[in-house]
Amino acid sequence: MSESKDFLRTIVEEDLKSGKYKEVITRFPPEPNGFPHIGHAKSICINFGIAKDYNGHCNLRMDDTNPTKEDTKYVEALKDAVQWLGFDWGKNVYFTSDYFSKIYDYAIKLIKMNKAYVDSLTEEEIREYRGTITQGGKRSIYANRSIEENLDLLERMKNGEFKDGEHVLRAKIDMSAANMKMRDPLLYRIRHAHHFRTADDWCIYPMYDFAHCLSDYIEGVSHSICTLEFENNRDIYDWLLDTLELKLPRPYQHEFARLGINYTVMSKRKLLELVDGKYVNGWDDPRMPTIAGYKRRGYTKESILNFCDQIGIAKANSMVDVAQLEFCIRDDLNQKVPRVLCVLDPLKVTIENYEGNEEIDAPYYPHDVPKDGSRKLPFSKNIYIERDDFMENPPKGYFRLTPTQPVRLRHGYIISCKEVVKDANGNIIEIIAQYYPESKSGADTSGIKVSSAIQWVCAKEAKTVEVRLYDRLFKNEAPEGLEDLNPDSLKIIKNAIIEPAVIIDRIDERFQFERQGYFYADPIDYTNEKPVFNKIVGLKDSWAKKTKKETAPKIIDKPQVQKVQVVGEIEALNEEQQALFDKYTKKLQLNNEVSNILARDKDLSNFYKDALAVINSPVTLANIVVNEVARELKQTEISKVKFTPIQIAELVKMVDDEVISSKIAKEVFEDMAKAGINPSKIVEDKGLVQISDPIIISPIIDDIIAKNPDNVEKFRAGNTKLLGFFVGQVLKTTGGKANPTVVNELVALKLK
Ligand code: ATP
Ligand code: MG
């Protein structure tokens, strides 16, 4: 259990202390209409985690009340996911459908209490009669039916005498309730459909609001934990259990924030669309945010559990950066998996002055990993290196092989380039090289200086492997539809070559291919004859740099990196870095990812410290330092950058004081980096001051509302997601200068 208690555990503890419950019973109640995703992992961790922490029990319950969408294959996927994450639901998996008879009896009881009635309005009329947020609803004339008539009609609905939609059963609550959900909610609807468990036994199915609270009650659940969108349903939950006068103890509902992750979609409905449309290769496609997808990609359960623990439990919805999940898997594998050599895009190298064969003893793990094991790396005259580890006309700061710069073969010798062989089109097809016999790794007496070590594979002993490189499924942070799919989310390399031990000894399922990333032997397609590896994650967050890469020369290693043997590898933090990391996370409340970046980079952390001495705003400042400042330092030495920590502090202060938005801050930074001008001067000259005055913002909003009557109507009908649309339009119109907080409030007010 994490040391600081979340609000749900606080509630549970209070309930146990006051004697409200003898035992904590939670449940995880998915609808089996798709594979579970990482959001479900969060819910699983919360429900099973709380039960475990307080010696209670968590039921796995399939909420199978919608026969047309559900299937046993999804039940199996849900069970797999819970099991894989290491949780135990005990002897039975529960199904809401097991309670159909009991739920039906409760419906009869409600009718007899004159608290429910059969309504025969059409779906459309029901919607119309419900009213709006500002206007109360109108009760259906059918609400006056006698108890006998209602009992008779319900029974005949059950017996299949009516068509779908002809009647519904509704609770008789309050058609003018402020909470619209309480305006006589539907309890049962007619569905002549085959159910995957109850077959054709039923032609009426209970609605979520009716089935859920009763299933919780029947199972003796104490804490019914769900996501925030059910907040308004809580009144129905309580009304039903109270009205039915059920014996105590009864369950209570508590809500927490849903997990959202950027660069993907999450709802099962949208994921199903990707599967059905063959945009991905099934539910377990390694690009999917499903638990089966992560599992097949090579994520460990530890990394997922850790992630869920890190993001915590809150009551405010938020978007988590997928980089945080990637950090968790890297962090886990860094200490666990063997490191080997694989070449994805081979370039032939012939070592002119080497004859014969040898085997180089190479450890699988670095010194700071408490694991042993090594293999033999065959070495001979002909080897392959990565194509982009050689450059004929390198830019400044390129540390690998060039016509004039030697390089070390990882674990092996230093080589230098003697000749570049090209084909008729001028493409490099081979390097003729020379090796230095005295330079062998670990026994180097050659005195030759190199700045980097590269991976290589002996041509004679090389094994061919298929490597599947996965990238983010969507190219946009907040994808809106299929048009946002990332066309490069899967790249298959058929003929990568790898050192033989990986295939022959297979000491693990997961490997670090040095300087490339972490890889996993595909659990389905891998065979000894045709090995297949999935890329789990790169060694560092490459996405952050991507936009820059397109304009900059192909690969520029960061000039300050002086760790000779370890270019591209992630090492454990040293003592000093660890101390910084702890200070950042514990004292300054920075998140792990940001803290990790800062702690590992001396220039950055010093810069951060200097700026922090000027302005006490650790979080905003850290964000600018690890993003903007770090990006700049990748291209320019720290002594040559045009801005100072004091100027960055000034920039942060303007953001904190809401003089400018954080979006505009990025724009200002670009100018600071180019010209070394004070941020306040840039803001003044370019007129970038944030607009917070409602008098200026108001007419802009009115204009946008007037231009989008359809969306206004949809919003008022309950599609609250459209709030973001309106806010976005205002920000766009003002070139990002409108204060988002003010805009949000004003838009909400005007759309009410
Ligand atoms: P989806 O929209 O993806 O189908 P759902 O909420 O309909 O999700 P259910 O199968 O009904 O999915 O959910 C089972 C449990 O998982 C519920 O308690 C639900 O609140 C929780 N859950 C679903 N999505 C998330 C999420 N993104 N973050 C946290 N919990 C979630
Ligand atoms: Mg759903």
Side-chain angles (χ1 to χ4, degrees), residues 132-147:
T132 63
I133 306 179
T134 47
Q135 260 186 343
K138 191 167 74 175
R139 187 160 268 164
S140 161
I141 40 162
Y142 301 108
N144 297 324
R145 280 175 167 146
S146 69
I147 289 175

Side-chain angles (χ1 to χ4, degrees), residues 558 560 598 600-609 625 629 633 637-638:
K558 202 171 136 193
Q560 304 91 308
L598 278 178
R600 281 180 191 276
D601 191 318
K602 219 171 178 136
D603 288 336
L604 269 193
S605 54
N606 281 336
F607 191 100
Y608 179 66
K609 190 178 79 195
V625 172
V629 175
L633 287 186
E637 259 175 64
I638 184 98

